[in-house]
Each structure stands twice: as structure tokens, then as C-alpha cells.
Amino acid sequence: MSTVKPQPRLQKEQIKPSPLFNRGRRRLRYMMKRWQLYVLLSPAVLYLLIFQYYPMYGAQIAFKRYNTMVGIWKSEWIGFEHFIRFFNSYDFWMIMRNTIGLSIYELIVSFPLPIILALSLNYVRKHLFKKSVQMITYAPHFISVVVMVGMLVQFLDPRAGILNALLGLFGVEPINFMAQAGMFKSIYVWSTVWQSTGFACIIYLAALASVDPAQHEAAVVDGATKMQRIWHIDIPSILPIAIILLILNTGQMLNIGYEKVLLMQNPLNLRASEIIDTYVYKVGLTSQAPNFSYATAIGLFKSVVSLFLLLTVNKIAKKTGQSSLW
């Protein structure tokens, strides 16, 4: 009787996990140990996903003849027709000139003033006076846009305005400032400066508070004046923050916003006050036949130009050895 030899057991091949799998497992273990931090981070991430990234889905209507009855996907694809229409429109150069001119004017005026105010307050020794100036310059930030424009209309009214009353004391005839197209940019920019300078100053004051007092003490011992201390100690300490804010402000050059400009507009100053944001608002929402695709194409064009400006200024700052966003 033959005996059946038992078959040798097949050794199972040991499957080693890939390095990518091990890395993912270590990362998951790291996240589980610090899950509280990710819970705190989740609202900001959800906000970005819902309100910043998800709306990009609708940007495709800039390349379509959007029809609300059939939806985004089934609307007719027309390519760059809306962009070409905007570039060839009669108002294109006027809108771009007004938008860029107003942005550059505001950037030149509003960017250095908070720095000057912060440097000045940093050397004030009277605590009460310093806090009073901070409160007076910071308070206008809480005034809403509607109230701000209402105040401007009242102050600049040709009949009962305070400014015209003061000019009347010197024999000057009443001026309708809000109807002067040439004065629109100055009224907009300087009212914005009055409203935002105090708030922007806080960032620079916080940076100046981190400067080591020993540097100022050594400079005083060496006989340095206040202007020399400002130039050689204070300005270099706030320069990285100033460069970052300048890059961000340049990237937002075309994003002026339509609220304040629209409230200040009237038929007499329209040729100087029509900007991209107000034009998009009118053609996309308030016209008799709203053209959502055309308005989206203009908004997408503005976003692409803003991204290009942001990347360019950031690259220049990096090449010159200054602080940059990345």
C-alpha cells in the first residue's frame, strides 16, 4: 500500500507595503494625534471650498451662451466670443482707463500713509494722546459704505454742504463736487484714505512693537537722531510686512468693488466713474436683458489680469531679495 506524500505547504509571499503606503499611514497617525488642530482648521477649509473653489464651476459659462432653462452643461459652447465682444466694445478703453487710474491713485496715496502714521505714533510718549489719535483714526473704519457716501453727499452739497459754506466765506461760488467728473477720483480716494488709514496702521504698529528696545538704546547712546532711528531701525523692521501688503494690494488692483463707486455715480460723472465692477453689475444684473455669460467673461478676464499682476510683483520682490508670498 503506497503512502501519499504530503504536499509541501506553499509559503505565502510576504507582501511588503510600498513606501507611499507607509508614508500615508504615518501621516494619518500624525493627524489622529493632533485631531483638535484639524477640527479648528476645518471651518476655514470648508469656507474656501464652498465659497471660493466651488463657484469656479460656474466660470465655464464665460465660454458659453448660457441659457437658464437648459443649465450650464447643456448651454451652447461659443468659445471666446464674449471676451472678443468686450475687447471690441466702445466702452472698453474708458472702463480700463478708469479702473487702472483709480487703482493706481488709491495705491499711491493709501499705501504710505498708514506707515507714516504708525511711525509717528510709535514715538509719541503721552499715552492719552496716542490712544486718542488711534481711536479717532480707527473709528471711521466702522462706518458702512452707504453711510459714508451719504455723508459725502451732505458735506459736498452745493446748497447746504459744509465745504461750500466754508468756501462761501471766501467769496467762492458753490461747486457741485459730485457732478464734476474730474473730481470723482480724488473724492473717492481721499474718503477711502480717511476711512481705512487707521485700521491699516494697526498692522505696522504691531510690527514696530516687536522691535528690540536695545537697538534704540544703543542708537541713542551713539547719538542717533529720531529720523536716523526711523530710517535704520524702524523701517527695516516693517519692510517685510510692507512688501507683502504691497504685493497683495497690487494683485487686487482691478478689484475695486462696485458698492461705493456705484453709490457715488451719477450721469454727470459717469465717464470718470464707470469701472469694471460697476459695468459687470449693470450688464449682468440690472439691465433689462441680463447677460450672465458676458458678465462672467469680464469678471474672468479681470481675475486673470489680477493673477498675472500678483505673480509679476511677487517675482520682482523675490528677485530683488525682498520678502515674497512664496
Side-chain angles (χ1 to χ4, degrees):
M1 183 174 180
S2 62
T3 58
V4 180
K5 295 182 179 181
Q7 296 292 332
R9 293 184 179 180
L10 296 176
Q11 295 182 352
K12 295 183 178 180
E13 297 182 358
Q14 296 181 355
I15 302 175
K16 296 182 179 180
S18 63
L20 183 63
F21 176 79
N22 289 333
R23 194 181 305 118
R25 187 167 55 183
R26 287 195 300 268
R27 185 172 300 174
L28 180 61
R29 191 182 303 116
Y30 177 86
M31 294 174 62
M32 293 300 295
K33 288 181 179 180
R34 297 162 178 83
W35 63 270
Q36 298 92 339
L37 298 178
Y38 290 95
V39 171
L40 292 175
L41 184 65
S42 59
V45 174
L46 288 175
Y47 171 81
L48 290 175
L49 292 176
I50 296 173
F51 296 102
Q52 302 296 330
Y53 285 93
Y54 178 71
M56 293 182 183
Y57 160 77
Q60 61 181 302
I61 68 174
F63 306 95
K64 295 186 175 185
R65 186 172 287 110
Y66 177 60
N67 187 344
T68 56
M69 301 299 295
V70 299
I72 295 178
W73 283 107
K74 295 183 179 180
S75 297
E76 179 186 359
W77 183 275
I78 58 174
F80 292 93
E81 182 177 319
H82 294 303
F83 296 92
I84 297 173
R85 174 188 170 188
F86 176 59
F87 297 151
N88 294 331
S89 65
Y90 176 78
D91 298 325
F92 174 74
W93 290 112
M94 180 193 71
I95 293 171
M96 294 301 298
R97 182 174 62 251
N98 292 340
T99 304
I100 297 174
L102 189 60
S103 298
I104 294 176
Y105 187 2
E106 184 177 4
L107 183 63
I108 293 174
V109 174
S110 63
F111 183 74
L113 288 180
I115 299 176
I116 297 172
L117 179 61
L119 292 172
S120 302
L121 290 175
N122 190 49
Y123 285 87
V124 173
R125 292 294 172 259
K126 293 184 178 180
H127 185 75
L128 179 61
F129 177 76
K130 182 178 181 179
K131 293 299 181 183
S132 299
V133 173
Q134 283 184 283
M135 186 188 68
I136 293 171
T137 55
Y138 183 68
H141 175 73
F142 297 98
I143 301 176
S144 67
V145 176
V146 177
V147 175
M148 172 61 69
V149 176
M151 292 171 61
L152 290 175
V153 172
Q154 294 297 322
F155 292 157
L156 304 178
D157 186 82
R159 296 181 179 179
I162 297 176
L163 185 56
N164 277 297
L166 293 175
L167 293 176
L169 298 176
F170 298 95
V172 179
E173 295 293 329
I175 303 174
N176 190 356
F177 292 96
M178 299 299 291
Q180 301 291 329
M183 295 183 179
F184 175 83
K185 290 184 175 63
S186 296
I187 296 173
Y188 178 91
V189 170
W190 288 103
S191 61
T192 302
V193 167
W194 173 66
Q195 190 174 13
S196 61
T197 299
F199 180 79
C201 172
I202 296 175
I203 301 175
Y204 298 107
L205 283 175
L208 290 171
S210 64
V211 177
D212 188 2
Q215 298 185 27
H216 286 281
E217 294 172 1
V220 171
V221 172
D222 292 338
T225 63
K226 286 186 178 180
M227 289 302 301
Q228 290 174 331
R229 290 158 57 191
I230 290 173
W231 184 257
H232 295 286
I233 299 176
D234 293 330
I235 292 181
S237 65
I238 65 175
L239 187 60
I241 296 177
I243 295 297
I244 294 297
L245 293 177
L246 179 61
I247 295 172
L248 293 175
N249 291 337
T250 305
Q252 296 293 322
M253 183 172 290
L254 299 183
N255 296 324
I256 299 176
Y258 73 94
E259 298 91 347
K260 186 176 180 180
V261 177
L262 187 66
L263 292 170
M264 293 176 62
Q265 273 186 357
N266 57 61
L268 298 176
N269 65 18
L270 190 62
R271 63 184 179 86
S273 62
E274 189 74 296
I275 61 175
I276 292 179
D277 292 323
T278 57
Y279 185 74
V280 169
Y281 173 76
K282 292 174 182 177
V283 301
L285 294 177
T286 62
S287 61
Q288 293 182 353
N291 193 333
F292 301 112
S293 297
Y294 184 52
T296 304
I298 300 173
L300 186 59
F301 162 74
K302 182 185 70 173
S303 300
V304 171
V305 174
S306 299
L307 178 61
F308 174 77
L309 291 174
L310 179 66
L311 295 175
T312 302
V313 178
N314 185 78
K315 189 70 174 180
I316 294 174
K318 194 173 182 179
K319 287 288 186 181
T320 56
Q322 303 295 334
S323 299
S324 59
L325 293 177
W326 58 84

